Amino acid sequence: MTRFALTIEFDGGPFFGLQRQENGPSVQQSIEEAAHAVTGEQVTLHSAGRTDSGVHALAMRSHVDIAKQIEPFRLMEALNAHLRPDPVAVIACEVKPDDWHARFSCLGRSYEYRIRNRRAPLTLEKGRAWHVAKPLDAEAMHEAAQALVGQHDFTTFRSAHCQSASAVKTLDRLDVSREGDAVLIRAAARSFLHHQVRSMVGCLALVGQGTWRIEQVAEALEAQDRSALGLNAPPEGLYFVAARYPDEE
Amino acid sequence: MTRFALTIEFDGGPFFGLQRQENGPSVQQSIEEAAHAVTGEQVTLHSAGRTDSGVHALAMRSHVDIAKQIEPFRLMEALNAHLRPDPVAVIACEVKPDDWHARFSCLGRSYEYRIRNRRAPLTLEKGRAWHVAKPLDAEAMHEAAQALVGQHDFTTFRSAHCQSASAVKTLDRLDVSREGDAVLIRAAARSFLHHQVRSMVGCLALVGQGTWRIEQVAEALEAQDRSALGLNAPPEGLYFVAARYPDEE
């Protein structure tokens, strides 16, 4: 068996998420079926992150084990041929040692959340960003976000369906910046809880709109209570952008 | 009558172009119908540019004349409400003098053409960029492009359906740059011939792939012959990005 690391880009819109689901199409199913078509093997895809329905990826990192003798470039090309017309593409493929694991070897994950902040509805970015019509103060959002950086119990920002053993996580970065009528939130951590980024973004948006004071984000964190959550931002603005591995540093 | 200048963003994918067409939906029809719904008036939309089927706009400039007393902000909001679910949005609206004309007052138009240059098919940018799998040399493309800047007879780069009285145009700028696996072409001129940007981009892509020598772009221009055209780039990579007016300089 050869372990192939795959870098995957996908539009999360038509999927019920990255992981296999009972109730609808998933990115994992698309790739496993493509791999079966290429190799005749039952292949399992392992990935750095689990993304929800509607969440996108610019560079999800995953791996598969394949017995068939095939060059990485040929595997990438063949997978992409079989993935059509699903909006999933393998943008890089390389051989890794057997102990390299897309999920367990991963040292850090990065997400970007895109808000379009204007009155007019979205056209080209429909399904690609969260449309917030009320003006957002990105500087206030950035200031509020800094209370979340560091090691904390993120119970407030965790989905009821989160399977993580502990709600204590270390957030390395949570930066908010404005570029024209776009507000971008960049988050990095070794790992995230289920819904953590969307929950944090939702509360920051309340600060940006003036609905919450800057200090209320810190207060919500300290409450360690899901009911203290202000708002869960919608999935269509969220992008998995990068994963870090020790052999690539 | 009050003259309202509209700034319009649209996804050209589902339209047969900006201008009204006999054979299918147009951006103009969508906006004129929305304006009729708002005002009860038969309104005609005038625009700085004419874009083909599939071509997008980030900030098309247009105007309409309306008798109904309405504030620009209310007009924008009402048009956007009626434009749903079409992927067209009025992103700005202001009153202009009666002699301000979106087309005839316009001093300059800018377009951007987006190429995604990689093996893998497009997912999030499907319909939003031209997918070119063969590696492109953006520096060679930029060098070749400079032969087109200035005043020339652009007959080679003109559609058979072009209605312009003269093929002599002055191209102010044609810049090619690479950003990761994206190759961006930025073009500016007082006005363009029909298909001019797509025709220029198509030939530059031939240079980028090594199919054409750099000098062949200048040779094609000098030929003043449509049959010297190498390739017309597809519409989905083209964006109308800005129009200049004397009162806004």
Side-chain angles (χ1 to χ4, degrees):
Chain A
M1 300 286 267
T2 305
R3 181 152 294 185
F4 291 94
L6 308 177
T7 304
I8 298 163
E9 179 190 277
F10 59 84
D11 170 5
F15 296 105
F16 279 57
L18 172 56
Q19 281 187 286
R20 260 190 191 272
Q21 304 286 334
E22 291 292 315
N23 52 343
S26 63
V27 175
Q28 184 180 355
Q29 182 185 346
S30 286
I31 294 176
E32 289 174 356
E33 287 177 1
H36 183 260
V38 173
T39 64
E41 301 169 40
Q42 296 297 334
V43 167
T44 301
L45 186 83
H46 298 271
S47 298
R50 302 171 175 209
T51 62
D52 287 322
S53 180
V55 174
H56 314 296
L58 300 181
M60 176 57 69
R61 300 295 299 273
S62 306
H63 79 258
V64 287
D65 292 328
I66 287 175
K68 180 185 169 85
Q69 291 294 314
I70 186 167
E71 290 298 311
F73 180 77
R74 294 302 323 150
L75 178 60
M76 179 179 88
E77 296 274 288
L79 288 173
N80 284 332
H82 285 281
L83 282 165
R84 291 175 196 267
D86 293 350
V88 180
V90 179
I91 59 174
C93 178
E94 59 182 319
V95 173
K96 289 283 192 183
D98 290 350
D99 63 350
W100 188 94
H101 196 288
R103 181 176 171 201
F104 298 119
S105 304
C106 182
L107 295 177
R109 282 98 173 156
S110 303
Y111 285 90
E112 183 173 305
Y113 195 97
R114 300 183 187 171
I115 298 174
R116 248 347 226 220
N117 187 213
R118 68 179 195 188
R119 291 295 310 175
L122 304 187
T123 68
L124 288 155
E125 285 192 293
K126 196 173 159 73
R128 306 274 192 275
W130 181 22
H131 178 219
V132 176
K134 208 171 167 185
L136 292 173
D137 179 344
E139 288 182 25
M141 292 169 69
H142 181 74
E143 187 181 337
Q146 302 322 301
L148 301 176
V149 175
Q151 190 182 65
H152 303 285
D153 182 314
F154 284 96
T155 296
T156 304
F157 301 94
R158 173 188 200 172
S159 153
H161 303 106
C162 183
Q163 292 167 17
S164 178
S166 165
V168 176
K169 294 285 175 188
T170 301
L171 182 63
D172 298 323
R173 180 187 181 198
L174 189 62
D175 291 333
V176 184
S177 60
R178 174 175 284 279
E179 294 180 12
D181 66 7
V183 174
L184 303 176
I185 298 112
R186 295 185 177 91
R190 183 174 183 105
S191 62
F192 290 90
L193 299 168
H194 189 220
H195 280 189
Q196 186 182 344
V197 179
R198 290 168 53 193
S199 297
M200 295 191 300
V201 169
C203 292
L204 294 178
L206 291 177
V207 171
Q209 294 175 351
T211 306
W212 271 22
R213 288 171 290 105
I214 288 173
E215 302 74 33
Q216 276 179 272
V217 172
E219 290 163 17
L221 176 70
E222 286 155 21
Q224 296 181 20
D225 177 0
R226 181 76 181 166
S227 68
L229 180 71
L231 182 67
N232 202 17
E236 64 265 25
L238 187 58
Y239 294 73
F240 185 99
V241 294
R244 288 170 46 227
Y245 293 92
D247 61 319
E248 298 172 2
E249 306 258 281
Chain B
M1 300 286 266
T2 304
R3 182 152 293 185
F4 291 94
L6 308 177
T7 303
I8 298 164
E9 179 191 277
F10 59 84
D11 170 5
F15 296 105
F16 279 58
L18 171 55
Q19 283 186 284
R20 260 191 192 271
Q21 304 286 334
E22 291 292 315
N23 52 343
S26 63
V27 175
Q28 183 180 355
Q29 182 185 346
S30 286
I31 294 175
E32 288 175 355
E33 288 178 1
H36 183 260
V38 173
T39 64
E41 301 169 41
Q42 295 298 333
V43 168
T44 301
L45 187 82
H46 298 271
S47 299
R50 304 171 174 207
T51 63
D52 286 323
S53 179
V55 174
H56 314 295
L58 300 181
M60 176 56 70
R61 301 296 298 275
S62 307
H63 80 257
V64 288
D65 292 329
I66 288 175
K68 180 185 169 84
Q69 292 293 316
I70 186 167
E71 290 298 311
F73 180 77
R74 293 303 321 150
L75 178 61
M76 179 179 90
E77 296 274 288
L79 288 173
N80 284 333
H82 285 281
L83 282 164
R84 291 174 196 266
D86 293 351
V88 180
V90 179
I91 59 175
C93 178
E94 59 182 319
V95 173
K96 290 284 192 183
D98 289 350
D99 64 350
W100 189 94
H101 195 289
R103 182 176 169 201
F104 298 120
S105 305
C106 181
L107 295 177
R109 282 96 174 158
S110 303
Y111 285 91
E112 184 173 305
Y113 195 97
R114 300 183 187 170
I115 297 174
R116 243 355 220 217
N117 188 212
R118 67 180 196 189
R119 290 296 308 176
L122 305 187
T123 68
L124 288 155
E125 284 192 293
K126 196 173 160 72
R128 305 274 192 276
W130 181 21
H131 177 218
V132 176
K134 209 170 165 184
L136 293 172
D137 179 343
E139 289 182 24
M141 291 167 70
H142 181 75
E143 188 181 336
Q146 301 323 301
L148 301 176
V149 174
Q151 190 183 64
H152 303 285
D153 182 313
F154 284 97
T155 296
T156 303
F157 301 93
R158 173 187 200 174
S159 153
H161 303 106
C162 183
Q163 293 167 16
S164 179
S166 165
V168 176
K169 294 285 175 187
T170 301
L171 182 63
D172 297 323
R173 181 187 181 199
L174 188 62
D175 291 334
V176 184
S177 60
R178 173 175 284 280
E179 294 179 14
D181 68 6
V183 174
L184 303 176
I185 297 111
R186 296 185 176 90
R190 183 173 185 107
S191 61
F192 290 91
L193 299 167
H194 189 220
H195 279 190
Q196 187 181 345
V197 179
R198 290 168 53 193
S199 297
M200 295 190 300
V201 169
C203 292
L204 295 178
L206 291 177
V207 171
Q209 294 174 350
T211 307
W212 272 22
R213 288 171 289 105
I214 288 173
E215 301 74 34
Q216 276 178 271
V217 172
E219 291 163 16
L221 175 69
E222 286 155 21
Q224 296 180 21
D225 177 0
R226 181 75 181 165
S227 67
L229 180 71
L231 182 65
N232 202 17
E236 64 264 26
L238 186 59
Y239 294 74
F240 185 99
V241 293
R244 289 171 44 228
Y245 293 93
D247 60 319
E248 298 172 2
E249 305 258 283

